[in-house]
Amino acid sequence: LSTEPLEGVNITSPVRLIHGTVGKSALLSVQYSSTSSDKPVVKWQLKRDKPVTVVQSIGTEVIGTLRPDYRDRIRLFENGSLLLSDLQLADEGTYEVEISITDDTFTGEKTINLTVDVPISRPQVLVASTTVLELSEAFTLNCSHENGTKPSYTWLKDGKPLLNDSRMLLSPDHKVLTITRVLMEDDDLYSCVVENPISQGRSLPIKITVYRRSSLYIILSTGGIFLLVTLVTVCACWKPSKK
């Protein structure tokens, strides 16, 4: 029986997770080692329910015809690495590379995860009004942004993360903040931060003014009296025209 160790291809990768941006490039970097000097057979696949072959090659020479969605977007390197250009959202997933050499007994394998996202555009806080009456049942703030995939939301009050408060209710995705039973202490600056794996955006702060009920009543009553006096004066001075 032979006692010589079995030879094989060993593949290493500096990273296992790469965050890519739509329209840009991502390098799926690997390095292989082998005792053979022959050119390697390289196969990259995108793992799906049914794996999708991205490219096959001998060395850097592509074997066969590339799929239409990968044409002019693929570049192979001698160490087995794959450069994928003009990234699309559909490119996201787990990529597996297999490298084999005729003289070697074993095929080397390595997987790399690629995420692809659209950068977050600058968010803004939307409200129906920037003023609210003290002890109102609810006041809602909405963190809105036009672009960006996989967003996560954080709310800030006076530039600091919101403290744990039972009156501060967040929607399941944290995009909407609802302040219940509004208090005077809620009078402050509010902003939101939106981020994803490749970017972050922060809104301009918006000032929410809380009025005490007594103050509002004074304003309304004063305005009402002024209007009543004006109407009485107009009626007293008005005389029907003679025909």
Side-chain angles (χ1 to χ4, degrees):
L1 294 175
S2 174
T3 58
E4 294 183 4
L6 296 175
E7 300 292 342
V9 176
N10 181 49
I11 305 176
T12 59
S13 176
V15 292
R16 301 298 297 274
L17 175 63
I18 298 172
H19 296 301
T21 302
V22 166
K24 295 188 177 182
S25 300
L27 177 64
L28 308 186
S29 179
V30 296
Q31 181 74 47
Y32 79 91
S33 60
S34 169
T35 57
S36 174
S37 59
D38 291 345
K39 288 185 177 181
V41 176
V42 181
K43 181 179 182 180
W44 279 94
Q45 287 187 314
L46 176 57
K47 306 298 284 185
R48 294 282 190 256
D49 291 336
K50 183 178 180 181
V52 176
T53 298
V54 178
V55 64
Q56 284 183 287
S57 70
I58 297 178
T60 57
E61 296 181 14
V62 176
I63 302 172
T65 304
L66 290 174
R67 293 167 57 94
D69 46 339
Y70 290 121
R71 288 175 189 167
D72 302 320
R73 297 205 296 133
I74 296 294
R75 182 182 176 187
L76 286 166
F77 295 88
E78 291 184 356
N79 62 3
S81 297
L82 171 68
L83 180 67
L84 189 56
S85 303
D86 190 21
L87 290 175
Q88 309 298 317
L89 291 176
D91 293 328
E92 180 169 294
T94 299
Y95 288 77
E96 181 181 72
V97 60
E98 296 179 357
I99 299 179
S100 60
I101 299 177
T102 305
D103 293 344
D104 291 328
T105 304
F106 295 119
T107 297
E109 297 180 352
K110 183 65 68 175
T111 59
I112 298 176
N113 292 306
L114 172 67
T115 65
V116 181
D117 286 288
V118 175
I120 299 291
S121 58
R122 187 167 194 174
Q124 60 178 330
V125 177
L126 301 180
V127 292
S129 172
T130 57
T131 61
V132 60
L133 182 62
E134 181 187 18
L135 301 181
S136 294
E137 287 300 318
F139 184 81
T140 300
L141 302 92
N142 191 319
C143 186
S144 176
H145 58 101
E146 292 185 0
N147 301 314
T149 50
K150 304 189 194 78
S152 63
Y153 302 89
T154 303
W155 284 94
L156 307 177
K157 180 180 179 182
D158 194 24
K160 301 174 183 177
L162 278 177
L163 298 176
N164 187 19
D165 190 327
S166 59
R167 295 186 305 104
M168 303 289 183
L169 304 180
L170 293 170
S171 60
D173 59 3
H174 289 198
K175 185 177 182 179
V176 178
L177 168 65
T178 301
I179 305 174
T180 60
R181 192 167 176 76
V182 179
L183 301 178
M184 292 304 300
E185 65 191 53
D186 298 325
D187 186 299
D188 215 322
L189 293 170
Y190 292 83
S191 57
C192 65
V193 175
V194 187
E195 55 188 330
N196 67 8
I198 60 169
S199 63
Q200 181 185 89
R202 181 170 176 171
S203 72
L204 292 173
I206 185 170
K207 177 66 167 67
I208 302 303
T209 302
V210 180
Y211 287 110
R212 292 188 183 278
R213 283 187 174 271
S214 56
S215 300
L216 185 62
Y217 287 155
I218 292 172
I219 293 172
L220 290 177
S221 60
T222 303
I225 293 172
F226 175 80
L227 179 60
L228 179 60
V229 170
T230 302
L231 289 174
V232 170
T233 303
V234 170
C235 290
C237 297
W238 179 77
K239 293 182 180 180
S241 59
K242 296 181 180 180
K243 294 185 179 180

